[in-house]
Structure formats: structure tokens, C-alpha cells
Amino acid sequence: MTIEYLKKADKTAASGEDDTRKIVSDMLSAIEAGGEDKVREYAAKLDNYTGNIVVTPEEIAAATAKVPRQVKDDIQFAYDRVRGFAEKQRQALIDFEVELSPGLFAGQKQIPVATAGCYVPGGRYSHVASAVMSVATAKAAGVDHVIACSPPKPGAGVNPAIIYTANLCGADTILALGGVQGIAAMAFGLFTGHAADILVGPGNRFVAEAKRMLFGRVGIDLFAGPTEIAIIADKTADPALVASDLVGQAEHGLDTPCWLITLDRALGKKVMELVPELIAKLPDTARTAAEASWRDYGEVVLCSDREEAAQVSDDYAGEHLEVQAEDLDWWVNRLRNYGSLFVGEETTVAFGDKCSGTNHILPTKGAGRYTGGLSAGKFIKTVTTQRMSREANREVASACARISRLEGMEAHARTGDDRLFKYFPKESFSLQPEPFE
């Protein structure tokens, strides 16, 4: 490759992971041993919150009353599209049965998990959209019990808009808990009596690490790190929109990677000029985050042709990937590794993040190489079934016995022998593998 970095990041998504792991490991162990009392202790210590952990119907009603009509309409707009898209995903997951050979039938069934735990961030920003993405998708998949969990504010509890949204989307229980203690409470079934079968939703590095450590004991949506944006742009792209989209994602946090992959040096240079100007105009919280994000994690990569740019993009496997370039169909057909693809300048990451219908809980840290984002299918177990006639045992049991003996597994082989002897007592079968020369 002949790529050139016009701007190279000083840090990577792995920076600072060791300290996080130690803190999270200690907290999970303490909560598993101490139960609900330990969770309340962490809530008081870390969030300065001593109110109800389980949000009551009265608190839901009070929160609903605080949400303005226009806000409710906007949330409904997002809900209708996300729920509708998730329902289409669910419909694409089908049960079937096929006859593989005479009398041998194999099939699959789609079974939703019983309980899903949905984490909704509420720290630096109150992520109302995350409640839609996780809770509505779980319900569209057919999950029986959905727990929504979100950090409370001291003396105020969970953000009213998050409570309203989680309730609208069908959450069966809402917990006023944040961070590791919230993830642990859902995983261990504290306060609800329903231990989560799967944990989903975005969060900070402590939330992501808690989910990673619990994986195996429970399912998770994906291994998540800081949110990312990658933009592929050629000479036809509008540098102002490219810069705006990079900054739009950079406000997420101090460690948000922002990558521009460009085929045009002049465009790359112009974007590098515009980004600091746009960041300087942001409110304080967003400006602080975006400055660090762009300074430490921002990159601008200059490529010689579109094939090279596509390969660089696939190597990054960005969580959000925008393409602002000529011949959009070529890029859609060529690109392989990403969480969600935004085709053309008319769409942007923020649209997908908030309300356009696709899910914003997506793979980061290169996970787009092997997984997609949250979908109805993440809440579904695809399980297999088989049945067969006695006649089918002639072939299946004989083959199974021979393969089992080839492997040295005699007890396995005899389960096939026994059926043959029962079903066909007057017949003889070849039950030994042929020897190797």
C-alpha cells in the first residue's frame, strides 16, 4: 500500500484497559458476594443516589408528565422506525424442517431469550435513543421480560425522558442504577428476580468491561469499546459536511476514534483545518470531549485509489462508516467490515444514532470483521431439532457407529448398534470402519 497519514493518532482503543479491568473485576466480585446491599452501597458512593432502585409506577407517571409533547412525538418517531425495522428482522428469522435423506428430518426453531438486560447511558449525555434501540428491539424479538437500567442523578433519579422512553418501548422493569453495579444487578437478577440471559446496550469503558467479564455466564450483544466513526471521502465530497460529521461523533467522549480515509489530499487538508474550528464552537462539555478525541484519536489517511481506500476501511472495521464519494454502488458492493454503513452525504451517523430505524448499538475495536450490531436476532436462540423414522436408522446408525469407532468412542458407537439390533434384529450391519492401509 502507498497510504500516507496526514494525521496519525497518538492513542488506540486499547489505551488504559488494564486499570479498568482491575476495578471492574473487584466490583463484580463484591456485588456477587454482597448482593443488593452492596449495589446500594455503590449507588450511594459512585452516583450519590439513595432513592428507589426499582422505578415505581408512580415515578413513571411523574416522569411521563414532565416530558413535553414535542419530545414525546420525536421519541415516538424514533420508536416507530426502530421497532418497525426490528420486526422485519424478526420476520426474516424463520423456523424450518428439511428431509435430508429418506426418514431423516432436521430443523431449526427461533426461541427468544427469557430475560434481557438493557443498559441506557445517562452520564455525560442522557441517551434516550439507546432506550429505543435496546428495549424496542428486544420486545420486537419476543423477549418475555426486559429490564432497562440507567444511571440516576443525585436527588432526582433517572432522567424523565429515559424513563418515559423505556416504558413506551415496553420495559417490564426500570432500574435506577448506573455503571458496573447496574450491569451486575441485571446479570445476577438483583431487585427483579429475573437474571438476564443477555446484556445489551452502550456504556463507558467500565460498563463495556463488566459485560466482557460476564460474557459466558450471560450473553452480550457484542464486545464494545469507545464509539467510532470512519468516513471515506473523495474529491467530490463536501469538506464542511465531512468535518461536521467527524465532530458530531467526537463529542461522544475523550477516547472516540475519528478516521477520515480520503482519496484527495486537498480535501483531507481542508477537513483538518475545519475540524478544530467546529470543535471550538461547541458547548463546554462537548468541546472538551471532542478536543481530546480529535487530538488523541483522530486520523486522516490519504490513499492512492478507491481499492486501497476500501482495504484501509476494512482494516479499521469502523463502527459507523460513511461514504461520501462517487459511484456509491461500487462502495456498497466492495466494503465488507463495518457496523453500519451510511451511503452518500444525505445521511449521517447521527440519523442512525437517533431515529432513522437501524440500530446504533454496533461493533467497535475491529469487531466489525466478524459481527454486526444489535438486531432482533441477538435476542433469539436458533436451536436445532431432529427426528427420524426407524427405517432411517439403517443408514444413520450404521454411519454413526463406524465414525464413532474411527474416533475411538465405543460408547457412542453402541448407541447406534443398540438401535439397529432393536429395530432390525434379523439383519447384520457393517459397524466397523475399514482399516487404513
Side-chain angles (χ1 to χ4, degrees):
M1 285 189 176
T2 57
I3 66 171
E4 177 185 348
Y5 286 92
L6 303 183
K7 183 182 186 304
K8 188 78 170 69
D10 295 326
K11 297 181 180 181
T12 71
S15 300
E17 283 185 346
D18 291 342
D19 291 343
T20 302
R21 287 176 182 153
K22 177 67 167 63
I23 293 169
V24 172
S25 178
D26 290 347
M27 289 182 68
L28 289 176
S29 296
I31 292 170
E32 185 164 20
E36 294 179 1
D37 288 341
K38 179 57 70 171
V39 169
R40 288 190 178 92
E41 181 182 319
Y42 277 125
K45 177 182 178 182
L46 300 177
D47 291 327
N48 193 25
Y49 179 75
T50 57
N52 292 327
I53 299 298
V54 178
V55 178
T56 66
E58 293 77 17
E59 289 171 326
I60 293 173
T64 298
K66 293 178 182 178
V67 180
R69 170 46 53 192
Q70 183 62 60
V71 173
K72 290 178 178 176
D73 290 344
D74 289 339
I75 292 170
Q76 187 72 45
F77 180 92
Y79 170 75
D80 289 343
R81 282 147 187 79
V82 172
R83 173 81 188 219
F85 189 73
E87 287 174 346
K88 284 293 186 182
Q89 290 177 322
R90 177 64 184 90
Q91 291 168 15
L93 301 170
I94 60 172
D95 296 349
F96 70 83
E97 186 174 67
V98 60
E99 188 173 15
L100 298 173
S101 60
L104 169 57
F105 298 86
Q108 71 174 25
K109 286 178 61 64
Q110 310 294 333
I111 303 176
V113 300
T115 301
C118 300
Y119 189 84
V120 182
R124 180 184 290 112
Y125 307 110
S126 294
H127 289 270
V128 171
S130 289
V132 179
M133 301 292 170
S134 57
V135 177
T137 304
K139 280 299 182 181
V143 177
D144 290 335
H145 193 95
V146 176
I147 305 165
C149 177
S150 190
K153 298 293 186 183
V158 177
N159 181 285
I162 289 178
I163 292 177
Y164 171 78
T165 305
N167 186 62
L168 170 71
C169 294
D172 298 283
T173 308
I174 303 173
L175 300 181
L177 286 172
V180 177
Q181 61 270 26
I183 293 294
M186 292 190 291
F188 302 152
L190 304 179
F191 303 102
T192 65
H194 295 270
D197 300 303
I198 187 171
L199 297 168
V200 305
N204 63 21
R205 59 194 175 105
F206 297 103
V207 168
E209 182 61 21
K211 288 166 62 182
R212 189 191 70 81
M213 287 186 172
L214 289 165
F215 178 61
R217 180 168 180 166
V218 300
I220 64 172
D221 45 4
L222 39 82
F223 293 110
T227 188
E228 306 162 351
I229 183 173
I231 301 178
I232 297 172
D234 65 12
K235 64 183 180 181
T236 68
D238 182 342
L241 285 180
V242 172
S244 176
D245 289 357
L246 289 169
V247 174
Q249 198 68 4
E251 76 170 337
H252 266 284
L254 307 174
D255 52 0
T256 296
C258 301
W259 306 309
L260 171 60
I261 302 164
T262 185
L263 301 169
D264 185 72
R265 182 183 296 273
L267 180 129
K269 291 287 189 180
K270 184 62 177 178
V271 170
M272 291 170 62
E273 175 188 322
L274 291 173
V275 166
E277 296 176 1
L278 296 178
I279 291 174
K281 297 176 182 178
L282 292 173
D284 290 345
T285 299
R287 184 176 67 251
T288 299
E291 283 176 345
S293 167
W294 180 246
R295 180 188 67 236
D296 297 336
Y297 295 88
E299 291 191 340
V300 179
V301 186
L302 178 63
C303 297
S304 58
D305 57 51
R306 66 183 187 177
E307 179 60 40
E308 187 173 71
Q311 186 58 55
V312 170
S313 176
D314 280 348
D315 290 343
Y316 279 98
E319 178 191 17
H320 307 91
L321 175 58
E322 295 185 6
V323 179
Q324 299 185 31
E326 293 179 307
D327 197 2
L328 292 172
D329 287 343
W330 183 90
W331 294 97
V332 171
N333 292 327
R334 167 59 182 83
L335 294 166
R336 297 178 61 89
N337 300 339
Y338 50 83
S340 191
L341 184 63
F342 300 80
V343 184
E345 74 165 36
E346 293 80 9
T347 188
T348 179
V349 169
F351 294 172
D353 270 1
K354 307 306 177 188
C355 62
S356 62
T358 56
N359 209 288
H360 78 194
I361 299 170
L362 299 166
T364 62
K365 299 172 73 172
R369 293 178 295 108
Y370 58 83
T371 187
L374 186 64
S375 67
K378 292 285 187 177
F379 298 98
I380 302 287
K381 299 176 292 183
T382 300
V383 296
T384 56
T385 63
Q386 65 175 254
R387 61 187 177 92
M388 66 184 69
S389 66
R390 291 192 172 189
E391 186 62 29
N393 272 253
R394 290 179 181 276
E395 288 185 327
V396 177
S398 299
C400 175
R402 291 191 296 269
I403 292 170
S404 296
R405 289 191 170 98
L406 177 66
E407 296 175 338
M409 304 186 76
E410 182 62 24
H412 277 62
R414 292 182 184 181
T415 65
D417 297 350
D418 291 344
R419 282 165 173 78
L420 291 172
F421 298 154
K422 177 179 179 179
Y423 302 152
F424 313 104
K426 296 181 180 181
E427 300 183 34
S428 61
F429 297 89
S430 174
L431 301 177
Q432 297 292 338
E434 288 188 1
F436 286 76
E437 294 182 359

